[in-house]
Amino acid sequence: MTTPNIAELLPHSGNMVLLDELLSCDAESLIARATVRPCPFSLLDGSLPPWLGLELLAQGVGAWAGWQARQAGEPVKLGFLLGTRRYECHVDAFAADTVLTISVRRAMQDALGMGAFECELSRDGILLAQARLNVYQPADASAYTQEPTPN
């Protein structure tokens, strides 16, 4: 299978896709690249706030899940970031035009869609941020995204 455009692996669209390129992916891990560009979360100088590292890492997990779905001949599905036990960011902001490497590795995943991933964000081999993300990908995400019909 040829390497897909990373946007095809995520249920995001437009400038909400923060990742640029899939570098590698296998049954347990993914490595992707992202260049810091203007997006709805950019600071005035074009940089990204440190908390946005969580979204970059979560999109790495989402792209990993999208890759797994495509390998199984299934559609890409919506998943949810439940939280993190720890997020350590070693920079005040991610500078504009910086090329970032996003690495995610599955630590655990159960049959009901709950999972945990060890994640790192780096630049030229220098660790900028890290987290253990807790995620959930239900069989039917619409049960969580559709508003009930009013009575």
Side-chain angles (χ1 to χ4, degrees):
M1 175 184 246
T2 61
T3 303
N5 178 323
I6 200 157
E8 297 171 10
L9 303 177
L10 293 165
H12 300 66
S13 63
N15 61 3
M16 289 307 296
V17 176
L18 301 179
L19 305 183
D20 296 324
E21 182 182 8
L22 175 64
L23 300 177
S24 67
C25 192
D26 60 33
E28 299 299 322
S29 64
L30 172 137
I31 300 174
R33 182 177 297 141
T35 300
V36 177
R37 292 191 178 87
C39 75
F41 308 105
S42 296
L43 300 173
L44 293 176
D45 65 359
S47 66
L48 297 177
W51 55 265
L52 204 64
L54 278 172
E55 177 63 20
L56 289 159
L57 297 173
Q59 286 193 22
V61 173
W64 177 86
W67 173 263
Q68 302 309 316
R70 287 196 49 171
Q71 293 296 300
E74 298 174 2
V76 172
K77 297 189 308 187
L78 182 65
F80 301 99
L81 171 62
L82 298 179
T84 181
R85 288 188 183 258
R86 62 172 167 77
Y87 173 62
E88 298 174 17
C89 188
H90 311 293
V91 294
D92 293 329
F94 300 103
D97 300 319
T98 300
V99 176
L100 303 170
T101 301
I102 296 89
S103 303
V104 302
R105 176 167 296 283
R106 178 171 60 172
M108 158 316 244
Q109 187 175 25
D110 71 16
L112 298 176
M114 299 293 287
F117 287 78
E118 297 295 336
C119 307
E120 294 183 347
L121 189 57
S122 60
R123 180 194 73 237
D124 298 325
I126 299 168
L127 182 66
L128 302 180
Q130 63 197 55
R132 180 180 180 106
L133 300 185
N134 301 312
V135 298
Y136 177 53
Q137 187 176 51
D140 179 14
S142 67
Y144 299 92
T145 60
Q146 303 298 317
E147 292 188 33
T149 305
N151 294 335

